[in-house]
Structure formats: C-alpha cells, structure tokens
Amino acid sequence: MILAFAFVGCSTVEVGVSNPIPGLSRVAVVPFFNLSMEPAADGHRFAEAYFTELQRTPGFEVVPVGVADAAMQDHGLNLNNPGDALKLAKILDVDAIVVGAITAYDPYYPPRVGLRVAWYSPYEWNFSPGLPTDPRARAPIFPPTIVLPALPDGSCDGPKKPGRRFGRHRDLCEGPQSPDTPQSPVESCTEDVIRGQSPDEIVVWDETPVTPVDPTRPLMSYSRIFDGADSALTAALRDYVELNGDLRSGGWEAYLHRSDDFLQFTARLMIDEMLMLHGGETRRRVVFAHRKQR
C-alpha cells in the first residue's frame, strides 16, 4: 500500500506573559488540596507542576513547594482559611501565597483535570497591563494625575483641588509655603513636579477615593477544567508541544497518555490564562510550520 503524504502550511500564535503586578515578585506555592473523587491525586505533584511553570514566567521568584510545606508543618498551619495563607506569607517573607485545589482528576485516556488556584497577599497591589519584564523597569504605580500649569509665583492656575498620595488627603495647590514649614517634594505646590516633566507643570493627584483592600479575598483566582477529549484543548496541546520543541516519540498525542506531561501542560495554561486576564500578556508571535498529513 502506498501512503501519500501532503505537507500543509499552518500557523501557531505564541503568546508571551509576564508578571502584571509591579513590586510583587516573591511567591510561594503550597501543596494543592485534593477535592476530587480520585484518591490518587497527589497535591504535592500538582503543586510542583505549577511551581515549575510559574518559575519559568518572567517576573516571579518562586519558593519551592517543600520549603512552604515545611513552614506550614512547623507553625501548625493547614491553610483551610485565608488567615493561614496570610500568616504563611509573613513567615516566608513572600509577597503572595498560591493556594490550589484539584477539583477533578482522571489520569486515564483521555485525561481530565480540574484545577482552581487563588493567590493571597497581605499587601495592597496595583495591576499594570503590559508591564516590562525587566525588573529594573518596574516602578510603583501611583493614582492618575491632573496636570495644571504653574504661574510664575508658584501658585496653581485655577481653583484649589484636593490631592491624594499614599492615601493621605492634602491641598497640593495652596501656593508658596512659609520657609519655616517643613515640606517634602509631594507636599509643596511649587516643588511637586515629577522628574522628567516640564518644570512649568504642577501635578495634582486624583481625588478619587481609595477602596479599602480586603486581604482575605484572593488577589487573583482562576478555575479551569482540562478535558483531553476536547478538540480545542488538543489543538492547544499540539501547539504547546511544537513550540517547546519536544522531539520525543509519540508527539503531542503521547502527552495524553503521560500524566506528568499532561499536568505540566495544564499548569502552563492555568498560569498563562490567569495572567492574561489581569493584563499580563506581553507579546504575540506567529510561528509558521509545515505539518505532515496522511
């Protein structure tokens, strides 16, 4: 029998993601909870897959799962509530704790995995879409500003406007101050000029009230079911294998039979999709390839 092969052109879109939260870099991943009906679902194994893929994501330094687990044991924390996660963040000196749960698991072909992750942090953060991946390019994100022209005497052109910085309310446009009054650059109308802007401009912080942050609510969370019988998922798996250059026998189809490889793939998608929802997409690259069809 003669087999005819046709080579067809195709394109794959590779999406790059990075940390969308300036200042948040050190993260700890704890063993996942097993909420599935499969007793063989090992929370350490799932957490290790998530840890590996998060460590590969630009902008994150990830504490090993074993270190986080040991700290939980030493301090009697079971992470059944957000308070324990916040305590663990302080103990490990990290910016956030990743708490995960296995909601469904069937390792046999076609595999099926359900996951939920929640990131908890005792600190307040701002998201910055499209943040550069170079840590030195990261800067604190301040509230929006209103720029008013400065008059020669240093006063503001227009009525006084209340300003806000770091949650403190102050009249930033009050004109020149007494030389005996201690002032910082952000407290003086004549000195409140951001470096790099024109010296003829005065910056007044937006007066929008700040909503208090509840640290017991997740900073980020994401849930997903990965079904190996779903055509859209297998198409994503094929692209994932091709872009990673895995030359092992069996190709992408073998990932559906190797549970560890499939878990690694699902961890990658969990991180990418969650960060993209929060503005973490940094680039898109179209890759053209030839696929052999029988």
Side-chain angles (χ1 to χ4, degrees):
M1 181 175 64
I2 299 176
L3 300 179
F5 293 90
F7 290 87
V8 296
C10 63
S11 63
T12 299
V13 178
E14 180 184 27
V15 179
V17 297
S18 70
N19 185 354
I21 310 174
L24 187 155
S25 59
R26 188 170 162 82
V27 181
V29 180
V30 300
F32 283 20
F33 291 97
N34 182 15
L35 305 181
S36 71
M37 300 298 292
E38 176 54 60
D42 183 0
H44 283 79
R45 182 180 170 212
F46 281 76
E48 287 288 352
Y50 194 92
F51 158 82
T52 301
E53 295 304 322
L54 185 60
Q55 186 68 76
R56 291 174 178 169
T57 306
F60 291 108
E61 174 192 352
V62 191
V63 174
V65 178
V67 174
D69 189 27
M72 290 170 55
Q73 302 298 328
D74 291 343
H75 293 83
L77 302 175
N78 53 30
L79 268 65
N80 285 330
N81 58 80
D84 278 2
L86 300 177
K87 290 178 183 177
L88 184 61
K90 295 285 189 178
I91 292 169
L92 294 173
D93 190 25
V94 296
D95 300 318
I97 297 289
V98 179
V99 180
I102 307 163
T103 58
Y105 184 51
D106 183 356
Y108 303 105
Y109 181 88
R112 188 169 180 270
V113 173
L115 296 174
R116 172 176 172 78
V117 295
W119 289 42
Y120 290 94
S121 176
Y123 311 108
E124 181 178 353
W125 304 99
N126 290 316
F127 291 87
S128 179
L131 195 70
T133 58
D134 183 356
R136 293 170 298 179
R138 301 173 188 275
I141 303 300
F142 298 112
T145 60
I146 303 170
V147 180
L148 302 176
L151 298 179
D153 62 358
S155 62
C156 296
D157 182 15
K160 295 182 179 181
K161 293 179 178 291
R164 171 171 60 80
R165 192 169 191 260
F166 302 115
R168 294 186 303 162
H169 291 270
R170 179 179 296 274
D171 192 344
L172 296 180
C173 290
E174 52 191 1
Q177 301 293 309
S178 168
D180 298 330
T181 304
Q183 296 176 344
S184 69
V186 299
E187 294 173 346
S188 169
C189 187
T190 57
E191 296 176 351
D192 188 21
V193 178
I194 292 180
R195 185 182 301 275
Q197 288 186 334
S198 168
D200 296 328
E201 292 180 336
I202 292 174
V203 175
V204 182
W205 298 104
D206 185 13
E207 56 192 274
T208 306
V210 178
T211 302
V213 175
D214 182 2
T216 64
R217 297 174 63 89
L219 177 67
M220 294 186 287
S221 62
Y222 194 62
S223 299
R224 182 80 143 82
I225 292 287
F226 302 93
D227 189 346
D230 178 48
S231 59
L233 183 69
T234 55
L237 174 60
R238 178 193 60 199
D239 294 343
Y240 168 83
V241 175
E242 289 184 352
L243 290 171
N244 281 277
D246 191 339
L247 301 179
R248 288 178 294 175
S249 62
W252 66 267
E253 293 96 336
Y255 275 61
L256 299 175
H257 299 275
R258 296 194 295 256
S259 59
D260 284 344
D261 287 339
F262 190 74
L263 290 184
Q264 209 69 44
F265 165 65
T266 60
R268 183 71 261 165
L269 278 190
M270 284 288 291
I271 294 169
D272 288 351
E273 292 176 359
M274 185 190 73
L275 293 181
M276 287 173 64
L277 286 175
H278 292 84
E281 182 178 336
T282 57
R283 62 176 172 79
R284 285 181 177 248
R285 182 173 66 124
V286 179
V287 180
F288 291 93
H290 291 283
R291 289 192 181 130
K292 184 170 59 176
Q293 290 188 343
R294 181 174 299 179

